[in-house]
Amino acid sequence: MKKSNVAGIDLSTRSCHVVIRDLETGELVRGATASFRTKTETNPRTWMEAYRSAVELAGGLDDVVAMSVAGQQHGFVGLGADGNVLRQAILWNDNRSKEDAEDLIRELGRGDVSEGRKLWADSVGSVPVSSLTVSKLRWFVDHEPQLFKQLCAIALPHDWLTWQLMGADDSRDGLEKKRDIRELVTDRSEASGTGYYCAEKNEYRNDLIDLAARSELSKRLVLPRVVGKAESVGELNSKGEAIVLGPGCADNAATALGLDLPPGEVCVSIGTSGVTSLVSDSPIKDRTGQVTGFADATGRYLPLVGMLNASRVLDDVALLLGMTLEELSRAALNAAPGAEGLVVIPYFAGERNPRLPEGMGAVLGVSSRNLTAPNLARAAYEGIVASVARGLSAFRRLGVEVTGITLVGGASRTPAMRRIAASVLGLPVSVPEYSAYSADGAARQAAWTYMGGDDPPAWTPRLRSQYQAKHDSFIIERFEEVAEKYLATVR
């Protein structure tokens, strides 16, 4: 079989996606997904099993010359001296370390929270929240001291899977094996989500590691080597043939690479949670903590605003109204912009932006006149999009130009989300053909690693649908007015 393709792996929270794309053009050849059950912890072996299942379902790797792994960002995989996993991996969505994050801010600022936020942002581009690895490290130190004594290395999910694939033989059963922790590798985008790595200076901050560990942990701790943006980290043997391994990257960085986002174009991902991000030539340091200053996969930066509540809000409202998501979308478009004053505050599962880890949502502005199913459906969509607008405002506050929106994620497939986003945000909205964008980005990185060069390969652009609408600015104004009054009662 002619070997002319590359593979991209996306290790997400509950599944592993594999796409096989043409090396030269990026055309999709085939792909598959293997799902698994997990909540906020998982045994890393689950990732390996899902990887093998997805590769098998995708028809194997016989025609693949290179592969890269993208993965869920943050997380905590603690390893012992011989590479053994010390406990279940703690995932990004685990909220147990929320108080630890606040403690770290306060401690770095010597009791002054504002000063602490400033120092964290200036040091690593981000202010600690529960999702960052540094916060999970503090929790681990305080709650599992006996295991902490055995801690010799920390990896993130993509780091661990890439490490397991390096030098392995994919044709044998039991691919997972113990490896030398000194062989761990990562990239700037993944390291930038730990809370103890400075992407601007390309260095780990041992002082912040020691702060989190309440000790001089950095003297014994092995951290993944941060490799170049298209550097080969090794090979995977598949049926006697070598497959080049790229460095891999964080999932949001992979999505930006897969979409080929230009500076100024904001990627808005509306999945279970929401992510607003863009590629920047300069590092972003937001001392409020609203924007996290991550790195991208091309040597630039990827400032990002995350929110916990996105399409899950639509799921809940659809269930309440006894509708399918398709029916909810139609109902929302049957209501007038602004939903006759009805406002949904979409903090159904707490929220990250604003910081309300124990918060709840609300339906406000209710009257006997406006409490209808179409209005409630539209208010749910508008509440989500108005929350996205807060992220755009934060980018602009930091001097970043916003020129357009690329809308992705499960909810982007609904006509209501596409049209309401265009009208509420007042920007042109582009919706690319539906794909596993993070896996696509990993595949493009694999091609870049294999082919070399200063820039990633120029693959054939994907088809896009364009949406523009009259800017209904009053919707954001109304949401902000109601949201501020609501937040004043719950903070």
Side-chain angles (χ1 to χ4, degrees), residues 357-420:
E358 304 297 335
M360 294 183 288
V363 180
L364 302 173
V366 178
S367 70
S368 57
R369 174 182 54 82
N370 67 11
L371 189 58
T372 65
N375 279 338
L376 183 56
R378 185 163 191 114
Y381 276 98
E382 290 179 347
I384 295 168
V385 177
S387 295
V388 168
R390 287 189 159 189
L392 302 186
S393 296
F395 290 152
R396 293 179 177 119
R397 169 174 55 82
L398 295 168
V400 179
E401 183 182 12
V402 177
T403 58
I405 302 294
T406 291
L407 186 64
V408 300
S412 70
R413 301 163 76 176
T414 66
M417 181 59 73
R418 299 177 178 193
R419 290 179 168 82
I420 291 173

Side-chain angles (χ1 to χ4, degrees), residues 397-467:
R397 169 174 55 82
L398 295 168
V400 179
E401 183 182 12
V402 177
T403 58
I405 302 294
T406 291
L407 186 64
V408 300
S412 70
R413 301 163 76 176
T414 66
M417 181 59 73
R418 299 177 178 193
R419 290 179 168 82
I420 291 173
S423 67
V424 173
L425 300 177
L427 290 166
V429 171
S430 173
V431 183
E433 58 182 323
Y434 191 74
S435 183
Y437 307 111
S438 183
D440 292 345
R444 191 175 181 216
Q445 185 195 67
W448 190 9
T449 302
Y450 185 81
M451 300 170 70
D454 294 332
D455 299 306
W459 280 358
T460 303
R462 62 179 77 240
L463 296 175
R464 290 173 176 259
S465 300
Q466 305 291 336
Y467 295 83

Side-chain angles (χ1 to χ4, degrees), residues 138-465:
R138 168 58 69 86
W139 180 92
F140 180 65
V141 169
D142 288 349
H143 291 83
E144 298 182 345
Q146 296 306 311
L147 288 178
F148 172 65
K149 292 178 181 178
Q150 304 173 47
L151 181 68
C152 292
I154 299 174
L156 275 60
H158 132 261
D159 306 337
W160 185 88
L161 183 55
T162 298
W163 181 55
Q164 288 294 315
L165 294 174
M166 291 165 56
D169 189 339
D170 203 22
S171 63
R172 300 175 185 169
D173 292 331
L175 180 60
E176 179 194 352
K177 61 181 181 179
K178 291 182 180 179
R179 306 190 59 84
D180 188 337
I181 56 177
R182 292 171 297 181
E183 296 176 352
L184 283 163
V185 294
T186 192
D187 86 308
R188 286 175 70 250
S189 70
E190 192 75 285
S192 68
T194 61
Y196 46 74
Y197 170 81
C198 175
E200 184 178 10
K201 296 181 178 179
N202 193 28
E203 65 181 18
Y204 285 111
R205 289 292 302 265
N206 289 336
D207 57 327
L208 300 180
I209 293 171
D210 292 343
L211 175 68
R214 303 186 192 276
S215 66
E216 294 183 331
L217 172 65
S218 62
K219 290 185 175 180
R220 77 167 194 262
L221 187 68
V222 174
L223 293 170
R225 178 173 64 92
V226 182
V227 302
K229 55 191 177 183
E231 179 180 338
S232 173
V233 300
E235 294 179 341
L236 167 69
N237 181 37
S238 180
K239 297 183 179 179
E241 297 289 337
I243 296 175
V244 173
L245 285 176
C249 54
D251 52 0
N252 291 301
T255 295
L257 183 59
L259 292 170
D260 199 19
L261 284 182
E265 179 79 7
V266 176
C267 177
V268 175
S269 177
I270 307 294
T272 303
S273 58
V275 174
T276 303
S277 61
L278 53 75
V279 173
S280 170
D281 290 324
S282 303
I284 298 296
K285 299 176 181 180
D286 183 12
R287 296 173 179 180
T288 72
Q290 185 179 5
V291 180
T292 49
F294 298 151
D296 83 335
T298 69
R300 295 180 288 184
Y301 299 88
L302 192 75
L304 180 151
V305 178
M307 57 187 196
L308 294 179
N309 298 275
S311 65
R312 72 175 76 194
V313 175
L314 303 179
D315 294 337
D316 291 342
V317 173
L319 181 64
L320 174 67
L321 296 177
M323 296 180 177
T324 65
L325 290 175
E326 291 77 12
E327 291 169 338
L328 188 76
S329 176
R330 288 196 294 270
L333 292 176
N334 283 331
E340 297 185 85
L342 197 66
V343 175
V344 169
I345 306 296
Y347 309 149
F348 288 18
E351 190 47 74
R352 179 177 174 181
N353 279 301
R355 291 178 180 239
L356 292 172
E358 304 297 335
M360 294 183 288
V363 180
L364 302 173
V366 178
S367 70
S368 57
R369 174 182 54 82
N370 67 11
L371 189 58
T372 65
N375 279 338
L376 183 56
R378 185 163 191 114
Y381 276 98
E382 290 179 347
I384 295 168
V385 177
S387 295
V388 168
R390 287 189 159 189
L392 302 186
S393 296
F395 290 152
R396 293 179 177 119
R397 169 174 55 82
L398 295 168
V400 179
E401 183 182 12
V402 177
T403 58
I405 302 294
T406 291
L407 186 64
V408 300
S412 70
R413 301 163 76 176
T414 66
M417 181 59 73
R418 299 177 178 193
R419 290 179 168 82
I420 291 173
S423 67
V424 173
L425 300 177
L427 290 166
V429 171
S430 173
V431 183
E433 58 182 323
Y434 191 74
S435 183
Y437 307 111
S438 183
D440 292 345
R444 191 175 181 216
Q445 185 195 67
W448 190 9
T449 302
Y450 185 81
M451 300 170 70
D454 294 332
D455 299 306
W459 280 358
T460 303
R462 62 179 77 240
L463 296 175
R464 290 173 176 259
S465 300

Side-chain angles (χ1 to χ4, degrees), residues 105 107-110 112-126 205 208 287:
I105 296 168
E107 290 169 21
L108 192 61
R110 299 182 182 276
D112 185 329
V113 173
S114 296
E115 180 66 11
R117 291 181 185 279
K118 172 183 177 297
L119 290 173
W120 278 102
D122 289 348
S123 298
V124 294
S126 300
R205 289 292 302 265
L208 300 180
R287 296 173 179 180

